[in-house]
Each structure stands twice: as structure tokens, then as C-alpha cells.
Amino acid sequence: MSINAHTKLVSLLGYPVEHSLSPLIHNTAFEAQGLNCAYVAFSVAPEAIEQAVAGLVALGFLGSNVTVPHKQAVLPLMDELSPQARAVGAVNTIVCRRTQEEVTLFGDNTDVAGFLEPLQPVQGKLEGAEVVVLGAGGAARAVVYALLSTFRPKRLTIAARTRTRAEGLAHDLSGYDENQALHVMSLDEARSAVRNSTLLVNATPVGMHPHSDGTPWPDAGDFSREQIVYDLIYKPEATRLLQDASARGAQTIGGLDMLILQAAASYIQWTNQPMPLDVVRKALQQAGIGRQA
Ligand code: NAP
């Protein structure tokens, strides 16, 4: 990639950002498509986020990703929000829309689309189904909104370590709960909900590298053939949760596709180009993320 006076920039604003795979994903895609663009990660302290967003406009950036802890803080800095960003209450993608007269900032949340796309092949099973989401943090928020607005589940249980956090999530998203499906419980109360669920989603970091012997649901006997178990963790690709579920005949989905597809949903808004997914997947494999080809 050669950087010159025409190079257009995209950033990641987070704190910290050193662990992020987004620079690898997006720069691989820019290079594969011969786009004169570069993606740079910036560690921005909370008190500097407003200045950083103003800098995107001043410096002609195409846009930015936003990650922890700024996803909520940038909301009021946007001129327009997608329905997903407004519902989830978090922006992970900023698009700088330029006309000759002005620049407007569009805030989106592509975690919603990234989460839903791997569920497309099983969507028939999920309409009106019973679902359990483990965890009540930022990712769970996008997942619960995605499930409510797409599948209108009969029952959607949020099971979390900190019950009050789950209650807050359920309260915030109650406006999208047409079937009065939302229920909140602590993890140790969730056994029958897990057993009866068609889809179980892990939105906690339990089982993530380097603690990959951990699992958010140690009772593997609660999984069955009829279930789909979806772990948002992408490293390792086959978490202990997914291994346990698969051993009991459940269908499993790992977090790597969501990682790539949420990035692709941002990329197309900055470049008007679909992300070259195979090239990106290969670059991630070379970096030790996902199966070797
Ligand atoms: P977060 O905002 O910090 O929320 C984490 C949630 O997990 C909270 O509810 C937290 O409970 C719970 N939790 C943490 N440790 C736990 C433990 N030992 N036992 C039980 N519950 C525990 O994190 P997040 O941003 O939502 O991310 C959650 C996971 O999703 C991470 O592994 C992240 O890598 C993954 N993720 C993947 C993608 C993707 O593209 N594949 C996208 C986003 C996130 P408390 O409230 O009690 O702390």
C-alpha cells in the first residue's frame, strides 16, 4: 500500500485499540481492491472523543469505527442515526457524508447486521422461537435488538451475572418487544430456559483466549440436537461452549463470521464496494484467527 497526497483515511476510535483486528481487516480489503485508502487505529481518552470526531470532519476522513468505551459517547455527536444505532444506543460506525456545502456525520451500528447474517440459513427455525442470551453488555444489547426486531421470539431470556444490568437492557429495548417476550434472570436460574431454547447466544467473554477452557454454560447435558448455539467469541473459533454443544448434536455458529460481516457492513458505507470476504478471511487465518485453509 502506498500512502500519498490522495490517500483517504478511515479510523478506529477506542481506548485502548492495540488488540483490534479492524486495521488488518480493512487494510487487507483496501489493498485487494486497489483503493487508495488507509485504516488507522487511535487510542483516544474519553475526554478527547469530541475533538477526535471533529477531527474526522476537519481532516477529510471517509469515516470511522468506534469501540469501547466511546460507542455511547459519540451518539449525541452524530447528525443522523440509523434505526439500529438509535435502538441499541451505541454507534460502532461513523460515515462522513460530504456534499459541496457541508459534512454530516451518520452513525450506524453494524453489529446488528453482522450478528444476523450467519443466522440466515436457520431463520425459519427462529421465527417465534424461544431464545436465551447469556450476558447483558454492549454486544448483548445489539443481539437482543436484532433478535426482537427480526424474529419476534415467543420468549427471549436475558441471563446475566449482574441482574440489574440485564433489567436495564430489557427496559431499554421493551419498545421493540411486540410479544412481551423479554424475561430477565440470573445465570443460575436459567437452566430450564436454556433447555427449552431453540437458540442460545453467548454474549459474555467467558471462554475467550487465553482462558479457552472456560464456558459460560458448564452443563453440557442441557444441549440437544434441536438447538443452535451461537458464541460471539471468535478466538478460539471453536470455543469450549461450541465443542460441548456440538458433541450433543447441536448446530453451532462461531463469532468469526460476525466479526467479518460487521466490518463488511461498515466498509461498504465508506467505499461503496463490497468487502472481498475471502481475502480478509485468509489474512485473518494467517494472523491465527480462524481455521487454516
Ligand atoms: P461487555 O460490554 O463487557 O459485557 C460482557 C457481559 O458478559 C456482561 O454482561 C458481563 O457481566 C458478562 N460477563 C463477563 N464476565 C463474566 C463471567 N465471568 N461470568 C458471567 N458473565 C460474565 O462486553 P461486550 O462488548 O458485550 O462483549 C462480549 C463478548 O462478545 C466478548 O467476548 C466480545 O469479544 C464478543 N464480541 C464479539 C463480536 C464479534 O464480532 N464476533 C462483536 C462484539 C462482541 P457483568 O455485567 O456482571 O460484568
Side-chain angles (χ1 to χ4, degrees), residues 135-139 161-162 165 203-206 208 232-234 255 258-259:
R161 180 171 69 174
T162 307
R165 210 169 166 193
T204 80
V206 183
M208 190 159 76
L232 301 197
I233 291 172
Y234 48 82
M258 175 176 171
L259 175 75

Side-chain angles (χ1 to χ4, degrees), residues 21-287:
L21 292 167
S22 295
L24 172 65
I25 292 173
H26 290 286
N27 286 321
T28 298
F30 291 150
E31 196 164 336
Q33 293 185 321
L35 300 179
N36 189 355
C37 299
Y39 186 106
V40 193
F42 294 108
S43 190
V44 178
E47 60 274 17
I49 188 63
E50 199 170 336
Q51 282 172 286
V53 171
L56 302 176
V57 176
L59 299 174
F61 277 55
L62 296 177
S64 185
N65 278 135
V66 184
T67 189
V68 179
H70 302 312
K71 286 185 179 190
Q72 286 85 29
V74 302
L75 269 171
L77 307 176
M78 299 296 107
D79 299 303
E80 198 185 329
L81 291 171
S82 70
Q84 293 83 347
R86 184 172 296 111
V88 175
V91 164
N92 79 337
T93 301
I94 300 173
V95 185
C96 301
R97 293 181 169 166
R98 286 165 208 284
T99 64
Q100 286 201 324
E101 295 81 39
E102 58 172 4
V103 184
T104 51
L105 295 176
F106 176 74
D108 193 10
N109 189 310
T110 63
D111 281 340
V112 175
F115 168 74
L116 284 172
E117 221 169 301
L119 288 173
Q120 263 185 10
V122 291
Q123 61 184 348
K125 284 173 99 173
L126 297 179
E127 202 65 49
E130 297 197 21
V131 178
V132 174
V133 176
L134 304 177
R141 206 163 261 274
V143 165
V144 170
Y145 168 72
L147 293 170
L148 284 177
S149 58
T150 310
F151 301 117
R152 286 174 293 279
K154 181 163 74 182
R155 192 177 172 94
L156 196 168
T157 302
I158 307 167
R161 180 171 69 174
T162 307
R163 202 190 155 110
T164 48
R165 210 169 166 193
E167 283 164 357
L169 201 174
H171 175 265
D172 292 350
L173 291 179
S174 58
Y176 302 93
D177 184 13
E178 282 175 25
N179 290 352
Q180 315 269 293
L182 283 173
H183 290 77
V184 166
M185 54 188 69
S186 58
L187 287 166
D188 54 9
E189 295 168 327
R191 184 159 199 198
S192 90
V194 168
R195 284 183 160 235
N196 292 330
S197 65
T198 302
L199 173 69
L200 171 71
V201 181
N202 175 34
T204 80
V206 183
M208 190 159 76
H209 173 83
H211 306 291
S212 37
D213 54 342
T215 168
W217 199 261
D219 298 317
D222 292 335
F223 303 134
S224 65
R225 295 194 151 280
E226 294 73 42
Q227 271 175 328
I228 302 156
V229 178
Y230 189 159
D231 199 335
L232 301 197
I233 291 172
Y234 48 82
K235 189 173 184 184
E237 193 179 17
T239 57
R240 190 181 140 202
L241 174 73
L242 295 188
Q243 290 179 36
D244 287 350
S246 178
R248 296 273 300 170
Q251 185 174 343
T252 60
I253 303 173
L256 186 60
D257 280 342
M258 175 176 171
L259 175 75
I260 296 172
L261 294 166
Q262 61 77 28
S266 303
Y267 185 88
I268 195 166
Q269 298 188 66
W270 300 320
T271 63
N272 290 320
Q273 306 270 356
M275 179 176 269
L277 300 178
D278 289 348
V279 184
V280 167
R281 207 174 285 276
K282 203 163 163 197
L284 286 168
Q285 281 164 359
Q286 280 164 0

Side-chain angles (χ1 to χ4, degrees), residues 12-21 23 41-44 67-68:
L12 171 66
L13 307 177
Y15 190 64
V17 291
E18 288 73 17
H19 63 283
S20 175
L21 292 167
F42 294 108
S43 190
V44 178
T67 189
V68 179

